[in-house]
């Protein structure tokens, strides 16, 4: 068996990408930048500050705002986003995920979280999933967004496991690249991802028998 399974949050455990999008669209609109869902895909797994920089670049406004103004824009986005998180309930967990986490607990396989979201602990709590995770990497201690492997390495180190003996699960290209850069086995959820060791169309196909077969085949 793998020594641990490390999950991404946004897009794997729950679909917060749309809420991030709505908050960013509002803030970007207020400074005259239009963003759409396709552009939002390129912000998945990217930290709040770095997302803002990408939005400014997208709107041709790189350097137009002082660091203080940028901090205010990021804070405004987060206020809107955190407000929208109130709509999350125990029913907001993506299909199959709660069942998978229960099975991993029964199988005594350690479970970690590698989300660069500073709101991750509150989201897990709203979903009533906090107890399912043996270790959640602290996004506040991470200096580089995915595709840098830092957050996945922090999750492995907190669990005391060897990345090469673990599986990472992601829905974003930056996340798959981060997992592969650690030497972990990667599982991609969704379409259009390059380099995932195992590619599944949606979370409902993510089961322990499927992960176990992938592990035995690839190790
Ligand atoms: P916050 P993940 C990421 O979560 C999101 O995909 C990304 O869109 C967001 O900007 C980032 O968290 C930071 O989130 O503003 O809440 O700190 O994919 O790493 O779970
Ligand atoms: Mg994600």
């Amino acid at each position: 068996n793998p020594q641990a399974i490390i999950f991404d949050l946004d897009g794997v455990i729950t679909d917060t990408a749309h809420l991030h999008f709505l908050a960013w669209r509002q803030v970007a609109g207020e400074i005259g930048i239009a963003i759409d869902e396709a552009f939002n895909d390129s912000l998945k797994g990217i930290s709040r500050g770095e997302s803002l920089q990408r939005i400014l670049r997208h709107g041709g406004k790189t350097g137009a705002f002082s660091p203080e103004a940028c901090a205010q824009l990021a804070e405004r986005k987060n206020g809107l986003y955190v407000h929208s998180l109130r709509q999350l309930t125990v029913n907001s967990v993506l299909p199959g995920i709660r069942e998978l986490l229960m099975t991993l607990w029964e199988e005594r396989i350690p479970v970690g979280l590698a989300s660069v979201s500073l709101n991750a602990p509150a989201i897990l709590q709203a979903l009533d999933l906090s107890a399912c995770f043996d270790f959640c990497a602290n996004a506040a201690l991470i200096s580089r967004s995915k595709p840098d492997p830092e957050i996945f390495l922090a999750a492995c180190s907190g669990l005391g496991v060897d990345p090469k003996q673990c599986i990472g699960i992601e829905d974003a290209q930056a996340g798959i690249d981060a997992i592969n850069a650690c030497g972990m086995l990667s599982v991609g959820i969704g379409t259009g991802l390059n380099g995932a060791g195992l590619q599944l169309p949606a979370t409902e196909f993510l089961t322990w028998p499927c992960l176990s077969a992938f592990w035995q085949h690839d190790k």
Side-chain angles (χ1 to χ4, degrees):
N1 281 351
Q3 286 182 2
I5 301 196
I6 319 273
F7 291 79
D8 166 46
L9 176 65
D10 174 28
V12 173
I13 307 260
T14 187
D15 181 23
T16 33
H18 188 66
L19 302 179
H20 280 293
F21 169 63
L22 294 177
W24 277 130
R25 187 178 62 179
Q26 167 84 28
V27 171
E30 288 167 7
I31 54 169
I33 298 173
I35 61 169
D36 59 17
E37 293 258 21
F39 173 75
N40 190 57
D41 273 357
S42 71
L43 302 180
K44 289 182 179 169
I46 308 300
S47 72
R48 198 182 306 163
E50 174 67 20
S51 295
L52 176 61
Q53 291 310 316
R54 290 191 185 202
I55 289 168
L56 294 177
R57 202 185 314 147
H58 180 70
K61 292 192 198 274
T62 305
F65 295 88
S66 68
E68 295 73 27
C70 286
Q72 267 177 24
L73 288 168
E75 201 166 311
R76 164 123 178 89
K77 181 267 176 177
N78 192 52
L80 294 166
Y81 176 65
V82 168
H83 183 83
S84 73
L85 289 176
R86 290 183 195 178
Q87 59 188 268
L88 290 187
T89 70
V90 291
N91 298 317
S92 311
V93 181
L94 284 167
I97 294 296
R98 195 181 297 277
E99 295 73 9
L100 172 61
L101 290 168
M102 303 292 264
T103 310
L104 294 177
W105 186 79
E106 285 163 10
E107 297 284 334
R108 301 278 182 272
I109 298 181
V111 172
L113 187 77
S115 168
V116 299
S117 173
L118 294 164
N119 295 298
I123 294 171
L124 287 187
Q125 211 159 1
L127 303 173
D128 195 24
L129 287 181
S130 309
C132 298
F133 288 82
D134 298 283
F135 183 78
C136 297
N138 183 350
L141 302 178
I142 299 300
S143 52
R144 295 175 301 273
S145 277
K146 301 163 186 177
D148 191 284
E150 191 178 2
I151 187 95
F152 281 97
L153 293 174
C156 290
S157 139
L159 288 166
V161 294
D162 174 0
K164 294 188 177 57
Q165 300 299 321
C166 296
I167 294 178
I169 307 175
E170 264 285 354
D171 69 313
Q173 188 62 52
I176 293 293
D177 295 344
I179 293 171
N180 290 340
C182 308
M184 302 169 74
L185 285 194
S186 57
V187 176
I189 305 293
T191 50
L193 296 171
N194 294 316
L198 171 68
Q199 178 81 46
L200 298 170
T203 55
E204 61 201 271
F205 300 97
L206 194 60
T207 61
W208 170 239
C210 161
L211 289 176
S212 173
F214 169 52
W215 181 259
Q216 269 150 43
H217 182 263
D218 278 62
K219 279 287 159 182

